[in-house]
Amino acid sequence: MKNTEWEQARAYVLEYYPKAVCLKYRKNVFVVFSDRNLTNAKRLSKKTYNDRYITNKGMAWIDAKEEIEKTI
């Protein structure tokens, strides 16, 4: 994955969710939420059976972009 790919995905997500944040949890899992305030946040990156597959921040942003595009 090139830097520009995930930077473009990040810009796209932030356009729709300006407060979106990518958090790391567990050992190597990254997830994108619509807001830093997690009580009202919507998960933007996919929920999968095995969450461990999102091993870097770039993939999490690209995931979130794909999910947003599905709903628009």
Side-chain angles (χ1 to χ4, degrees):
M1 175 190 333
K2 296 177 185 171
N3 278 349
T4 53
E5 284 178 304
W6 83 264
E7 287 167 0
Q8 287 170 352
R10 182 178 177 273
Y12 181 91
V13 171
L14 290 173
E15 183 181 328
Y16 289 93
Y17 296 94
K19 294 181 180 179
V21 62
C22 184
L23 299 175
K24 182 176 181 179
Y25 74 99
R26 287 198 238 143
K27 190 174 181 180
N28 283 324
V29 183
F30 289 89
V31 63
V32 178
F33 289 100
S34 61
D35 197 319
R36 192 174 287 274
N37 176 0
L38 296 180
T39 53
N40 297 321
K42 173 180 167 186
R43 181 172 175 160
L44 299 177
S45 49
K46 295 178 216 163
K47 289 186 184 180
T48 58
Y49 174 72
N50 181 3
D51 275 340
R52 286 184 284 170
Y53 88 103
I54 303 175
T55 57
N56 65 56
K57 207 178 273 194
M59 280 306 299
W61 283 108
I62 287 173
D63 233 13
K65 177 180 182 272
E66 289 170 357
E67 282 296 298
I68 291 171
E69 286 174 345
K70 280 185 200 172
T71 60
I72 293 176

